[in-house]
């Protein structure tokens, strides 16, 4: 009998390994970069008007790759301003990679970095305990809402920290992606419910409308080559399957019927498209920009 399934985020090393492979095999960073190039300048066009200091808060900043691209756009828009960039990130490993990236980068003069090794929730708890409400000109949350227990409350809290011209930018999987199909259908069979929540850009409008917030939505096309998932015993394929299902050793521990159904689902048009004999999973992203 297959051993019981365990949650992938419960094994940080394997999770990081599968995440890195996902980034390598997908166009996720390219589509984020395209958004930063094409749309971000408009999003931040008035966040720093008349200010000599601009405060940016990165929630779940990871290893800083996207953060530095975002900061370069803020700097280009407000060349004379000092930028205070605070990073909330629970992984010590990611923070140390972020610091290395900053140490190696040029053009970061007039940007001050402060790292907080904590989750979004821990940050909120600490600020409340210290009776602090620091206001921000730009807050961004890239691919991190899945790890928040109470999403509407988290959105309300960070929205409350916005200055009058500020913006809150959220990036996560699109409601039109293969993730939506896979997780809506099989999420309850995967073990990671305790550690992360499935949420997509399709879920946020309802929450934001209920809170009476104004926002704009963007759809970012992205795909992931999952051809190796269908090669029995392929190490990379197994890692990608772990990432798609948030399950540790999914190929080895999933009940045979669940595994059969998931593998079948992954080939269907709702999840993927088949081109030149390869299977490309639809990993589109959604971006929501919330007004103060």
């Amino acid at each position: 009998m297959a051993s019981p399934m365990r949650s992938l985020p419960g094994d940080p090393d394997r999770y990081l390994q599968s995440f890195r492979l996902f980034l390598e095999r997908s166009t996720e960073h390219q589509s984020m970069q395209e958004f930063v190039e094409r749309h971000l300048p408009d999003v931040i066009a008035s966040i720093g008007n008349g200010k000599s200091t601009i405060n940016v808060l990165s929630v779940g900043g990871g290893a800083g790759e996207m953060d530095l691209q975002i900061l370069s756009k803020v700097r280009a828009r407000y060349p004379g301003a000092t930028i205070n960039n605070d990073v909330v990130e629970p992984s010590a490993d990611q923070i140390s990679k972020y610091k290395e990236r900053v140490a190696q980068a040029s053009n970061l003069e007039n940007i001050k970095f402060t790292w907080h090794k904590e989750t979004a929730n821990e940050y909120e708890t600490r600020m409340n305990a210290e009776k602090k409400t620091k206001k921000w000109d730009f807050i961004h949350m890239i691919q991190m809402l899945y790890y928040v227990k109470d999403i509407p409350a988290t959105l309300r809290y960070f929205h409350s920290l916005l200055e009058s011209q500020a913006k809150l930018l959220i990036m996560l999987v699109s409601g039109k992606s293969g993730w939506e199909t896979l997780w809506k259908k099989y999420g309850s069979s995967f073990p990671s419910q305790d550690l992360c929540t499935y949420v997509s850009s399709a879920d946020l409008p309802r929450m934001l409308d209920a809170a009476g917030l104004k926002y704009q939505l963007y759809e970012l096309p992205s795909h992931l080559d999952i051809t190796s998932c269908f090669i029995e015993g392929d190490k990379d394929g197994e890692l990608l399957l772990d990432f798609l299902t948030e399950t540790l050793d999914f190929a080895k521990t999933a009940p045979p019927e669940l595994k059969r159904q998931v593998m079948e689902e992954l080939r269907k048009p709702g999840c993927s498209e088949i081109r030149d004999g390869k299977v490309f999973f639809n990993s589109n992203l959604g971006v929501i920009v919330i007004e103060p």
Side-chain angles (χ1 to χ4, degrees), residues 25-231:
R25 296 282 170 92
S26 76
T27 58
E28 173 149 312
H29 269 177
Q30 293 92 301
S31 67
M32 287 180 180
Q33 283 159 357
E34 199 170 306
F35 176 84
V36 167
E37 289 299 323
R38 289 181 52 196
H39 300 291
L40 192 68
D42 291 341
V43 170
I44 60 168
S46 58
I47 61 167
N49 284 356
K51 296 192 168 191
S52 57
T53 302
I54 296 170
N55 295 315
V56 177
L57 179 63
S58 161
V59 187
E65 193 174 346
M66 292 313 302
D67 284 22
L68 295 191
Q69 294 187 33
I70 288 169
L71 289 169
S72 77
K73 292 292 176 219
V74 176
R75 223 183 66 135
R77 177 70 184 83
Y78 303 101
T82 299
I83 299 168
N84 290 325
N85 184 65
D86 276 38
V87 181
V88 173
E89 168 55 53
S91 161
D93 178 64
Q94 294 286 79
I95 288 177
S96 89
K97 288 195 167 54
Y98 197 141
K99 288 179 176 175
E100 278 168 33
R101 194 166 256 132
V102 167
Q104 288 160 8
S106 52
N107 315 335
L108 295 181
E109 59 281 355
N110 78 357
I111 301 178
K112 296 181 182 140
F113 291 87
T114 310
W115 286 272
H116 307 276
K117 186 190 167 303
E118 56 195 355
T119 64
N121 193 41
E122 286 163 351
Y123 174 84
E124 181 180 347
T125 305
R126 178 172 63 82
M127 294 307 266
N128 288 339
E130 293 171 9
K131 299 203 169 12
K132 284 184 183 165
T133 46
K134 180 165 181 181
K135 294 277 186 172
W136 301 92
D137 300 301
F138 187 50
I139 301 176
H140 57 86
M141 303 173 157
I142 295 177
Q143 293 287 44
M144 60 67 66
L145 270 187
Y146 323 111
Y147 307 103
V148 164
K149 282 279 176 269
D150 185 339
I151 293 168
T154 298
L155 294 177
R156 278 196 304 276
Y157 172 71
F158 285 100
H159 180 264
S160 76
L161 306 182
L162 294 178
E163 288 280 16
S164 59
Q165 297 286 315
K167 295 283 194 295
L168 167 57
L169 180 147
I170 294 166
M171 205 178 272
L172 75 174
V173 299
S174 162
K176 297 176 179 153
S177 69
W179 300 106
E180 181 83 350
T181 309
L182 185 68
W183 277 80
K184 284 281 188 279
K185 209 162 183 178
Y186 297 105
S188 58
S189 306
F190 300 149
S192 67
Q193 303 299 325
D194 51 335
L195 288 165
C196 67
T197 318
Y198 176 74
V199 58
S200 76
S201 65
D203 301 305
L204 289 194
R206 182 175 41 78
M207 299 175 192
L208 298 172
D209 292 341
L213 300 179
K214 289 205 307 218
Y215 55 90
Q216 279 175 300
L217 289 169
Y218 301 82
E219 181 81 9
L220 312 188
S222 178
H223 61 259
L224 165 70
D225 183 348
I226 59 168
T227 313
S228 59
C229 292
F230 301 94
I231 302 166

